[in-house]
Amino acid sequence: DAEITQSPRHKITETGRQVTLACHQTWNHNNMFWYRQDLGHGLRLIHYSYGVQDTNKGEVSDGYSVSRSNTEDLPLTLESAASSQTSVYFCASSESYAGELFFGEGSRLTVL
Amino acid sequence: DQQVKQNSPSLSVQEGRISILNCDYTNSMFDYFLWYKKYPAEGPTFLISISSIKDKNEDGRFTVFLNKSAKHLSLHIVPSQPGDSAVYFCAARGSGTYKYIFGTGTRLKVLA
C-alpha cells in the first residue's frame, strides 16, 4: 500500500544543533507540506512544495528550510534549533487535482 | 491573523446524540474545505470535504454544511459514538492553490 512515513518519530536535541526531519511518500504526489502542531495554534504551515525543485514558505517558515530533489521526499531542516521549535511536526501530501491531504504519523521534536 | 477559527476548544456530547462542530473563516477566496479527525500520537485523518459551490455534503454519520455568506461551516456527527472522541480540525484552501490553512481544533468527547 502507498503511504507517507516520517522519521524520526521522536527526537531530543540541544539548542543550536541542526536537525533534519525526513518525509517520504510513495503515492507519487506532486504536492507536499510540512505543518507543526502546537497547543492553542492548531496546525500551522511551515513550507510546501508543488513539485521537484519547487519550495515555498508557509505561515511560520522562519528557522526552517526544505528541499525537493525528487517526488518522494521533502526533508525539513532546522538550521539552528531553538526551544520555540519544540513541537510535533506533520508531513502531508496531496495529488494536484484531488482535495485531501494525507498525513504522516508525526515527528515529536524536543529542543533543550 | 487567524484566517480559520474554531472558537470552541472542547465539546462534550452524550453517546447517540448529535455533535456539532463549528468553524469560521475570514477569507472569501477560500473555495474548498476539509474536516480532519486526530487521535493522540497519530496523524490527522481525512473525514469529509465540501466545495464552495455546494452548501451540504453527507457521508454516513458525517455531514458538513457551508454558509458562504456567513463564512461559516459546521460538521454534524449523528449519532455520536465514543470512538468519535478526538480532536477535529477544519481546513480551508484558496482558489488556485493546493495549500490548506487549518483551524486550532476542537476536542470532542463523547460520553458513554
Side-chain angles (χ1 to χ4, degrees):
Chain A
D1 283 344
E3 59 181 3
I4 182 166
T5 55
Q6 295 182 229
S7 63
R9 295 292 311 278
H10 300 272
K11 184 167 182 69
I12 300 174
T13 191
E14 295 177 342
T15 302
R17 300 255 184 168
Q18 183 181 79
V19 176
T20 296
L21 305 179
C23 176
H24 180 80
Q25 52 98 1
T26 59
W27 283 297
N28 206 36
H29 286 167
N30 283 326
N31 308 324
M32 295 185 74
F33 307 83
W34 274 104
Y35 288 87
R36 60 179 286 177
Q37 184 193 7
D38 304 286
L39 199 61
H41 292 281
L43 292 161
R44 291 182 292 174
L45 183 62
I46 305 171
H47 281 287
Y48 60 101
S49 169
Y50 289 160
V52 176
Q53 302 301 332
D54 176 75
T55 60
N56 305 280
K57 294 181 178 180
E59 305 167 81
V60 289
S61 60
D62 287 349
Y64 303 94
S65 63
V66 293
S67 61
R68 187 90 181 269
S69 58
N70 58 53
T71 301
E72 296 79 16
D73 299 290
L74 187 71
L76 177 71
T77 297
L78 288 67
E79 299 293 343
S80 177
S83 57
S84 60
Q85 294 177 308
T86 292
S87 186
V88 181
Y89 292 86
F90 289 99
C91 181
S93 70
S94 71
E95 291 180 299
S96 294
Y97 59 87
E100 64 188 271
L101 298 175
F102 294 85
F103 280 88
E105 294 290 297
S107 295
R108 180 177 292 277
L109 176 67
T110 302
V111 183
L112 301 176
Chain B
D1 185 30
Q2 192 79 24
Q3 296 188 68
V4 179
K5 302 176 186 179
Q6 294 177 256
N7 292 318
S8 298
S10 63
L11 175 68
S12 291
V13 171
Q14 285 294 131
E15 181 180 7
R17 305 294 291 267
I18 184 172
S19 295
I20 300 176
L21 296 98
N22 295 304
C23 180
D24 297 293
Y25 61 96
T26 58
N27 190 337
S28 58
M29 299 302 291
F30 288 152
D31 69 347
Y32 202 76
F33 304 87
L34 307 176
W35 281 95
Y36 278 81
K37 177 168 71 174
K38 186 183 179 307
Y39 294 120
E42 294 183 10
T45 54
F46 170 73
L47 269 179
I48 194 168
S49 64
I50 189 165
S51 165
S52 60
I53 63 173
K54 295 186 175 183
D55 54 18
K56 177 182 174 181
N57 189 26
E58 200 169 349
D59 184 2
R61 296 186 298 114
F62 302 92
T63 303
V64 56
F65 295 91
L66 176 62
N67 182 333
K68 281 197 303 181
S69 61
K71 296 191 182 69
H72 177 83
L73 64 156
S74 60
L75 175 68
H76 293 211
I77 306 173
V78 184
S80 300
Q81 300 172 353
D84 295 329
S85 297
V87 177
Y88 289 78
F89 292 99
C90 65
R93 183 185 78 184
S95 175
T97 80
Y98 301 111
K99 63 175 183 174
Y100 285 92
I101 305 299
F102 281 77
T104 52
T106 296
R107 182 176 301 276
L108 172 66
K109 188 171 185 179
V110 180
L111 307 169

